[in-house]
């Protein structure tokens, strides 16, 4: 389980997160909802060990303290991150991107199993394995980004706005794939602009405003909450 306790992050005098506490269990999808600038991306980047701000609090993964650890140590511990914008290596092939995901000792130990799993989840990557990643569509690049993260053999997969720029059809496919990832026992922490579809596949959700957690509930209850509907779902669903 990923447990974040009383996490605060500051960039100089600006407080981006203030006392955030959340958790993600194995086999669970948890979605973070909030406006732009609420602190969602800062939270994920801090957990991943790539936040430039000053962080205080506790980040624990299955009893291991990850606060202030380097990003490679966090990957080795069992957390993988797909950033907004995908972050793939555009001049490398699909296959090369996937193999880079397994660079850690943890990833190498499960490389064959994870590769089989990734290609079953995204069969199009088998067809495109020799294609240079930057020549692919946005949806295909997102498959590469998620597949590369899964090659690290994580306990927790974090994704920042994975549906950004995708067509409605590809969004539906993406969220379906995230549901399949949960079925393997992996925990998923999702920051997503598409509140309706993300809550539809999630188990729980948190609301974050101005760097503070302002609500938590089961995903289906959040879908029915009038305040959540008004703020994030465009009215009644």
């Amino acid at each position: 389980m990923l447990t974040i306790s009383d996490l605060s992050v500051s960039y100089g005098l600006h407080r981006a997160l203030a006392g955030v506490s959340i958790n993600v269990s194995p086999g669970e999808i948890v979605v973070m909802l909030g406006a732009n600038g609420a602190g969602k991306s800062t939270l994920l980047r801090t957990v991943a060990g790539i936040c430039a701000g000053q962080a205080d609090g506790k980040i624990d993964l299955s009893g291991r303290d990850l606060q202030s650890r380097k990003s490679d140590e966090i990957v080795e511990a069992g957390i993988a991150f797909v950033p907004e914008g995908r972050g793939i290596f555009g001049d490398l092939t699909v296959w090369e991107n996937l193999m880079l995901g397994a660079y850690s000792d943890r990833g190498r130990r499960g490389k064959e199993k994870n590769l089989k799993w990734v290609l079953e989840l995204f069969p199009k990557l088998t067809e495109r394995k020799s294609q240079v990643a930057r020549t692919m569509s946005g949806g295909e690049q997102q498959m590469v980004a998620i597949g590369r993260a899964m090659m690290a053999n994580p306990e927790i997969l974090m994704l920042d706005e994975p549906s950004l720029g995708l067509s409605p059809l590809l969004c539906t496919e993406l969220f379906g794939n995230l549901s399949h990832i949960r079925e393997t026992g992996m925990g998923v922490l999702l920051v997503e602009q598409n509140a309706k579809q993300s809550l539809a596949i999630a188990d729980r959700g948190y609301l974050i405003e101005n760097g503070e957690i302002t609500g938590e509930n089961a995903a289906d209850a959040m879908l029915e909450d009038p305040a959540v509907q008004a703020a994030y779902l465009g009215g009644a669903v």
Side-chain angles (χ1 to χ4, degrees):
M1 175 186 286
L2 173 66
T3 305
I4 300 168
S5 305
D6 199 26
L7 182 65
S8 296
V9 177
S10 297
Y11 298 95
L13 297 177
H14 172 65
R15 177 63 63 92
L17 294 177
V20 168
S21 296
I22 70 168
N23 62 79
V24 183
S25 297
E28 179 182 47
I29 296 177
V30 174
V31 62
M32 299 288 302
L33 299 180
N36 289 338
K40 306 184 300 297
S41 294
T42 293
L43 173 62
L44 297 193
R45 293 177 68 84
T46 301
V47 175
I50 57 173
C51 179
Q54 176 64 43
D56 295 297
K58 185 173 182 181
I59 302 171
D60 179 280
L61 179 65
S62 302
R64 291 159 289 177
D65 183 7
L66 300 184
Q67 172 64 358
S68 302
R69 294 288 186 92
K70 296 179 181 178
S71 57
D72 61 315
E73 295 175 323
I74 291 170
V75 172
E76 189 65 58
I79 295 178
F81 178 40
V82 180
E84 182 179 346
R86 306 178 187 107
I88 62 173
F89 296 96
D91 290 330
L92 300 183
T93 66
V94 168
W95 193 256
E96 289 166 337
N97 270 276
L98 293 178
M99 291 302 101
L100 282 172
Y103 78 92
S104 65
D105 288 341
R106 181 187 186 95
R108 287 196 293 271
R109 287 196 298 270
K111 184 169 73 170
E112 297 306 320
K113 177 196 72 174
N114 290 327
L115 180 60
K116 181 176 182 291
W117 177 28
V118 168
L119 296 180
E120 287 176 354
L121 189 63
F122 303 116
K124 189 172 289 187
L125 297 185
T126 302
E127 306 167 15
R128 306 293 181 89
K129 65 180 182 180
S130 299
Q131 185 170 344
V132 174
R134 61 177 166 78
T135 66
M136 304 176 78
S137 70
E140 291 166 343
Q141 289 184 22
Q142 192 61 268
M143 293 177 196
V144 175
I146 296 173
R148 185 183 63 188
M150 291 168 61
M151 288 297 293
N153 196 26
E155 292 180 33
I156 300 291
L157 176 65
M158 303 191 303
L159 303 102
D160 192 356
E161 304 283 11
S163 77
L164 192 64
L166 301 187
S167 69
L169 181 62
L170 287 175
C171 284
T172 299
E173 183 178 342
L174 168 68
F175 289 114
N177 286 331
L178 293 180
S179 293
H180 291 312
I181 290 172
R182 170 179 53 196
E183 292 167 5
T184 68
M186 188 182 300
V188 177
L189 178 55
L190 175 63
V191 164
E192 179 52 56
Q193 60 170 350
N194 191 328
K196 184 175 181 179
Q197 283 193 279
S198 58
L199 285 172
I201 65 162
D203 298 284
R204 293 186 299 114
Y206 291 92
L207 303 179
I208 184 169
E209 296 180 17
N210 299 318
E212 298 183 7
I213 299 296
T214 58
E216 174 192 0
N217 212 333
D220 55 356
M222 294 183 81
L223 277 169
E224 299 299 325
D225 186 323
V228 173
Q229 291 176 3
Y232 304 107
L233 301 172
V237 295

